[in-house]
Amino acid sequence: QNASNAALQVAEELAEQLRATSEGLQKTLQDEEAMYAQAQEASEKHQEALSCCRQELSDASEAKGDAARRAGGEEETCLRLQTSLANSEAAAGNVRRELEENE
């Protein structure tokens, strides 16, 4: 009888330890699932931010191209104005010489 009682007590203690282990594992699983959900949410937010950054980079690249084209047009206009100024100065010089010769 003592042996049976001792065996029963050991079995009950083992069952209690198994219950405690099972509860601990269940809690760990819940914690892991919560961390996984948080990691997934963070990943989604990161993807959204990355998408925004890509769009901003694309917009900036397009703006840079537009600015370069405008600068090229302005440079061409400046060269035309410089040529026109040089031609006007040459014409003024010619008129000045003709006036000096006619005096």
Side-chain angles (χ1 to χ4, degrees):
Q1 180 97 21
N2 279 343
S4 294
N5 287 341
L8 181 60
Q9 185 176 357
V10 168
E12 287 174 349
E13 288 174 5
L14 287 175
E16 182 57 36
Q17 288 176 359
L18 286 174
R19 272 192 292 278
T21 301
S22 176
E23 289 172 3
L25 289 173
Q26 191 67 24
K27 174 73 170 110
T28 300
L29 178 60
Q30 290 171 350
D31 292 346
E32 292 290 329
E33 288 173 342
M35 286 190 292
Y36 178 76
Q38 289 174 347
Q40 230 176 353
E41 185 178 338
S43 176
E44 290 170 6
K45 287 181 181 178
H46 176 75
Q47 289 299 324
E48 289 174 17
L50 191 57
S51 178
C52 288
C53 287
R54 285 187 181 126
Q55 185 60 48
E56 288 176 6
L57 183 59
S58 175
D59 292 348
S61 179
E62 187 176 327
K64 180 181 175 186
D66 291 346
R69 282 188 288 283
R70 280 194 305 276
E74 290 169 0
E75 184 177 355
E76 185 178 321
T77 299
C78 184
L79 290 173
R80 281 198 307 265
L81 289 172
Q82 286 175 339
T83 301
S84 178
L85 177 61
N87 290 339
S88 295
E89 288 173 342
N94 290 340
V95 168
R96 199 172 11 256
R97 275 191 296 280
E98 285 181 23
L99 288 173
E100 289 172 357
E101 288 174 5
N102 289 336
E103 284 182 355

